[in-house]
């Protein structure tokens, strides 16, 4: 009974906006602070009674506050981090899912989501035109900044730099791209760029990439100067990124029976590279592994309620495998493609993993595997997958309708 009471106290502290820490399994004294020149309140430290179990990744289930369930969650090899819909952060133990630290906030507005950058020890979110960051090592607020132009619509972080795309008028097809130093929020540069709403912001290997629904532009991460633009005539309605790869596909919001050919772009020159021929179906969403396997969900051109996950080896220019699906969230972890079983299938309600190269026909260690059935994976829960960085052997399911997190061993 004492353990249950402590857990309830920890969740309530998130809801009322208190900051806390634990003596084991989390950072010490996670008081929030604002550096000189940064805007935003200083959050006081409040010692909580919560005491999380320390140790490696384990299986657990934890409730989410409504603010967390309406926000976003991510993870590193060491912890789970959620951004609330008010711009705050909640850190959770990898061992039992209990709250280890909080950085509350009270903003109201559209959220730009969450970026968890383990290398720079930063979690980044933006709500109502304010950019907020938390220090992942200490569990404290790192810094906040009021964005000069509109509300952030997309976020990125890499190489010690945090990026925001902000726009005051999505219909204008332009946005302001700001670069700030991850350590203290110092502004580095900003540029007005051509940008299409919903297109990703990608940053790796000293460059930052934006797309406007037609072309892709690469900028130097230090200066913001343009260093490459995709050629005229190479259609790029939608950009899929991951594993230091860039792939242009048809737009997921377009209607019709034909779609532009899939094109892989050279990250250095943005010129097209040999790319496997995709199907005639509608590209919707995709993930790319570090070794260059693209798994793309392509819905039926006439009936978009179902389709197939199609895997392509980008490095060797060939299609690998295909499997039937209804649209669902997906990620890549431990050399496997991770998604949910089809919503209209007898095996619905499970986490499914498929070897990236062997596909559904793999055998032995490369054979497909499924978890037990969990309520949190049902369509009505609007579940998403969170893959911790590193070789943790676990995956986290975030359910939004009845807010919860479930850590389970990767099937």
């Amino acid at each position: 009974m004492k353990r249950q009471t402590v857990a309830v106290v920890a969740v309530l502290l998130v809801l009322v906006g208190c900051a806390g820490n634990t003596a084991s399994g989390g950072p010490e004294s996670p008081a929030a602070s604002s550096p000189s020149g940064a805007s935003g309140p200083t959050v006081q430290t409040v010692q909580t009674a919560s005491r999380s179990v320390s140790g490696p990744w384990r299986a657990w289930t934890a409730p989410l506050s409504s603010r967390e369930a309406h926000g976003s969650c991510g993870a590193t090899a060491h912890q789970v981090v959620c951004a609330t819909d008010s711009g705050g952060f909640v850190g959770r133990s990898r061992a039992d899912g209990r709250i280890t630290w909080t950085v509350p906030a009270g903003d109201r507005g559209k959220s730009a989501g969450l970026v968890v950058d383990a290398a720079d020890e930063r979690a980044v979110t933006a709500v109502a035109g304010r950019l907020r960051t938390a220090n992942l090592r200490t569990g404290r607020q790192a810094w906040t900044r009021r964005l000069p132009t509109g509300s952030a619509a997309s976020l990125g972080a890499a190489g010690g730099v945090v990026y925001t795309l902000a726009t005051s008028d999505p219909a204008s097809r332009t946005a302001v791209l700001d670069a700030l130093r991850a350590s203290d929020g110092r502004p580095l540069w900003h540029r007005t760029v051509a940008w299409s709403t919903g297109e990703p912001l990608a940053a790796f290997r000293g460059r930052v990439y934006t797309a406007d629904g037609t072309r892709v532009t690469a900028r130097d991460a230090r200066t913001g100067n343009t260093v490459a633009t995709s050629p005229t005539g190479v259609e790029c309605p939608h950009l899929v990124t991951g594993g230091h790869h860039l792939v242009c596909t048809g737009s997921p919001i377009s209607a019709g029976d034909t779609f532009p050919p899939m094109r892989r772009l050279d990250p250095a020159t943005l010129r097209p590279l040999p790319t496997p021929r995709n199907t005639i179906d509608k590209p919707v969403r995709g993930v790319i592994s570090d070794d260059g396997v693209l798994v793309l969900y392509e819905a039926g051109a006439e009936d978009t309620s179902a389709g197939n996950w199609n895997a392509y080896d980008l490095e060797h220019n060939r299609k690998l495998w295909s499997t039937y699906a209804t649209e669902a969230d997906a990620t890549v972890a431990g050399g496997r493609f991770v998604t949910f079983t089809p919503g209209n299938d007898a095996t619905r309600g499970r986490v499914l993993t498929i070897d990236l190269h062997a596909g559904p026909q793999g055998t032995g260690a490369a054979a497909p595997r499924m978890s037990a059935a969990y309520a949190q994976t049902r369509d009505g829960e609007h579940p998403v997958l969170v893959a911790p960085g590193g070789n943790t052997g676990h995956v986290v399911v975030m359910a939004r309708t009845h807010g919860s997190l479930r850590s389970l061993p990767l099937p």
Side-chain angles (χ1 to χ4, degrees):
M1 179 63 70
K2 181 178 179 181
R3 181 173 179 146
Q4 292 177 340
T5 301
V6 170
V8 171
V9 170
V11 174
L12 289 176
L13 285 172
V14 178
L15 295 174
V16 299
C18 296
N21 73 296
T22 66
S24 93
E28 296 180 358
S29 303
S33 61
S34 294
S36 177
S39 61
T42 299
V43 182
Q44 300 298 318
T45 300
V46 177
Q47 185 75 29
T48 77
S50 175
R51 189 175 182 85
S52 178
V53 175
S54 62
W57 277 92
R58 298 189 179 102
W60 46 261
T61 301
L64 290 178
S65 69
S66 61
R67 287 185 173 179
E68 290 173 275
H70 287 90
S72 305
C73 290
T76 70
H78 303 288
Q79 62 185 315
V80 176
V81 181
C82 295
T84 68
D85 63 351
S86 59
F89 299 94
V90 179
R92 292 178 177 271
S93 166
R94 64 184 177 179
D96 62 8
R98 291 197 210 178
I99 295 170
T100 56
W101 54 268
T102 64
V103 178
D107 291 331
R108 292 180 179 272
K110 187 175 181 180
S111 172
L114 169 70
V115 172
V116 179
D117 185 355
D120 294 327
E121 298 181 334
R122 289 289 181 266
V124 184
T125 192
V127 175
R130 186 183 294 274
L131 181 68
R132 296 181 181 273
T133 63
N135 186 313
L136 296 177
R137 180 175 54 83
T138 65
R140 298 177 180 179
Q141 179 173 281
W143 47 267
T144 70
R145 288 283 178 188
R146 173 66 64 180
L147 296 173
T149 304
S151 297
S154 187
L155 302 172
V161 181
V162 171
Y163 302 96
T164 69
L165 271 172
T167 179
S168 56
D169 180 13
S172 68
R173 298 183 72 85
T174 61
V176 173
L177 175 61
D178 279 285
L180 304 96
R181 194 160 63 186
S183 59
D184 57 9
R186 176 193 172 196
L188 300 176
W189 50 263
H190 72 272
R191 298 283 187 274
T192 299
V193 303
W195 179 69
S196 178
T197 302
E199 286 302 289
L201 173 63
F204 53 84
R205 294 178 178 172
R207 294 188 172 191
V208 56
Y209 301 87
T210 56
D212 64 6
T214 302
R215 305 178 76 181
V216 180
T217 301
R219 288 179 171 78
D220 183 272
R222 294 177 297 102
T223 66
N225 294 335
T226 299
V227 293
T229 304
S230 59
T232 302
V234 177
E235 295 182 80
C236 196
H238 179 59
L239 181 65
V240 181
T241 72
H244 300 168
H245 292 80
L246 305 169
V247 176
C248 292
T249 73
S251 170
I253 62 174
S254 64
D257 295 329
T258 59
F259 308 95
M262 186 166 65
R263 297 285 185 91
R264 179 166 65 111
L265 302 181
D266 183 328
T269 66
L270 294 185
R271 294 187 177 279
L273 297 172
T275 311
R277 179 180 176 85
N278 56 319
T279 71
I280 62 172
D281 290 333
K282 177 180 179 178
V284 177
R285 68 172 69 188
V287 294
I288 308 177
S289 68
D290 288 343
D291 63 349
V293 175
L294 164 67
V295 189
L296 183 67
Y297 179 76
E298 297 175 72
E302 296 183 0
D303 179 8
T304 58
S305 63
N308 290 278
W309 287 107
N310 294 310
Y312 304 95
D313 184 339
L314 298 176
E315 297 292 345
H316 299 93
N317 191 24
R318 62 194 179 99
K319 184 174 179 178
L320 294 174
W321 50 265
S322 180
T323 187
Y324 171 79
T326 52
E327 186 178 357
D329 193 47
T331 189
V332 173
R336 300 179 73 85
F337 172 66
V338 188
T339 188
F340 299 107
T341 50
N344 57 4
D345 191 89
T347 60
R348 63 185 179 276
R350 302 168 188 263
V351 175
L352 169 69
T353 71
I354 299 172
D355 185 275
L356 281 168
H357 293 272
Q361 304 306 315
T363 59
R369 299 193 291 265
M370 289 188 296
S371 72
Y374 296 111
Q376 293 93 334
T377 65
R378 296 172 183 167
D379 289 348
E381 292 293 332
H382 301 288
V384 295
L385 291 159
V386 177
N391 188 22
T392 66
H394 280 69
V395 67
V396 178
V397 177
M398 176 188 181
R400 294 185 180 277
T401 302
H402 300 92
S404 69
L405 288 176
R406 179 185 286 269
S407 169
L408 64 148
L410 189 69

